[in-house]
Amino acid sequence: MMLLSFAALGAICSFVYSAVTFLEKLISLRIVSFVLDVIIMLSFAVAFFCFVIGFGENGFRFYHFFIAALGFFAYQMTVHRFFRNLENKIANKLSIKRKSFTKRLKKF
């Protein structure tokens, strides 16, 4: 049960990471990207620490980290690959619409 929980934590972190990278593609400002990356990595660290405290029997073990990393990469290699092309198409269309909207605002 504990190993499955850490694998699920890794998969959930991977999903959140994919959602944030999609948001970064839409915004495309370096400072916003940096701030989002810092916030998300700190939140992943806190979540991992809470899981270690809650599920770890004798404290931190390296296999906790490896199982969570395995869950992260399993999600990236399966589900994220399946939806990556759709995500890129949506991001490109939305960025084109955003650019045309800003051009119209500049003319106004």
Side-chain angles (χ1 to χ4, degrees):
M1 182 68 178
M2 177 200 51
L3 296 178
L4 187 60
S5 298
F6 276 96
L9 173 68
I12 290 169
C13 288
S14 182
F15 173 76
V16 171
Y17 178 75
S18 297
V20 169
T21 55
F22 177 72
L23 183 65
E24 288 174 356
K25 286 180 189 177
L26 294 178
I27 295 173
S28 69
L29 291 173
R30 285 188 173 185
I31 188 70
V32 173
S33 177
F34 174 76
V35 169
L36 284 175
D37 284 343
V38 168
I39 290 170
I40 198 164
M41 291 305 152
L42 288 174
S43 65
F44 288 169
V46 168
F48 185 75
F49 181 69
C50 290
F51 262 69
V52 167
I53 288 174
F55 290 107
E57 295 100 19
N58 297 327
F60 175 72
R61 301 283 185 234
F62 283 113
Y63 66 84
H64 293 152
F65 176 75
F66 291 123
I67 296 296
L70 182 67
F72 185 91
F73 290 118
Y75 179 88
Q76 287 290 320
M77 294 298 146
T78 57
V79 178
H80 181 69
R81 275 193 177 189
F82 184 69
F83 289 111
R84 183 176 38 198
N85 291 334
L86 178 65
E87 177 184 304
N88 288 335
K89 287 179 185 177
I90 291 171
N92 289 337
K93 286 185 180 183
L94 288 176
S95 68
I96 289 170
K97 289 188 184 274
R98 179 183 50 99
K99 287 178 184 176
S100 68
F101 180 70
T102 54
K103 281 183 182 179
R104 281 190 268 150
L105 280 179
K106 286 180 182 179
K107 286 181 183 178
F108 184 66

